[in-house]
């Protein structure tokens, strides 16, 4: 299985649908995101939203949150979710024990 990762620059119907499918797998308390909410995530100056695709299907998302600090900019990863259908022992790009930050995510250029 080939996984491609990319930075998202705009809210699309495809992305809204992907969040509708993926977010419940992350949290049973998370409210569904409409187009406006997804656009707010994508356009926030403190967020970089990445998606993972298998073929034409978004199978995962990762939000990189950046903060300016006196010692320099910092970033942390939030809300990583990978579709259960894309997980499994033969899906080497996804490793829960490594906190999802495997090669596919690490090699995505965000700047």
């Amino acid at each position: 299985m080939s996984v491609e990762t990319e930075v998202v620059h705009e809210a699309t119907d495809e992305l809204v649908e992907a969040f509708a499918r993926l977010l419940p797998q992350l949290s049973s308390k998370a409210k569904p995101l409409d187009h406006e909410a997804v656009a707010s995530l994508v356009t926030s100056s403190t967020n970089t939203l990445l998606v993972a695709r298998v073929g034409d299907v978004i199978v995962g998302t990762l939000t990189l949150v950046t903060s300016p600090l006196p010692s320099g900019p910092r970033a942390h990863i939030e809300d990583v979710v990978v579709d259960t259908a894309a997980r499994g022992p033969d899906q080497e790009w996804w490793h829960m024990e490594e906190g999802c930050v495997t090669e596919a995510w690490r090699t995505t250029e965000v700047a």
Side-chain angles (χ1 to χ4, degrees):
M1 169 174 62
S2 176
V3 176
E4 299 293 326
T5 57
E6 64 189 59
V7 175
V8 175
H9 297 287
E10 65 179 301
T12 62
D13 291 341
E14 175 194 29
L15 188 59
V16 173
E17 184 281 326
F19 271 111
R21 182 172 34 83
L22 296 171
L23 200 53
Q25 296 179 48
L26 176 66
S27 169
S28 61
K29 296 178 183 179
K31 304 240 187 284
L33 303 178
D34 60 15
H35 197 278
E36 184 178 344
V38 173
S40 179
L41 286 173
V42 171
T43 60
S44 171
S45 64
T46 59
N47 290 345
T48 301
L49 183 65
L50 290 86
V51 296
R53 292 180 181 274
V54 173
D56 292 334
V57 179
I58 296 174
V59 296
T61 66
L62 177 151
T63 305
L64 183 67
V65 181
T66 56
S67 306
L69 298 175
S71 59
R74 295 290 184 265
H76 61 275
I77 295 169
E78 291 287 344
D79 292 350
V80 175
V81 60
V82 174
D83 196 328
T84 55
R87 299 183 212 169
D90 60 332
Q91 312 304 333
E92 60 189 53
W93 73 279
W94 161 257
H95 297 286
M96 185 173 291
E97 66 275 8
E98 294 179 19
C100 317
V101 187
T102 59
E103 192 67 18
W105 295 118
R106 281 193 299 266
T107 58
T108 302
E109 292 190 28
V110 295

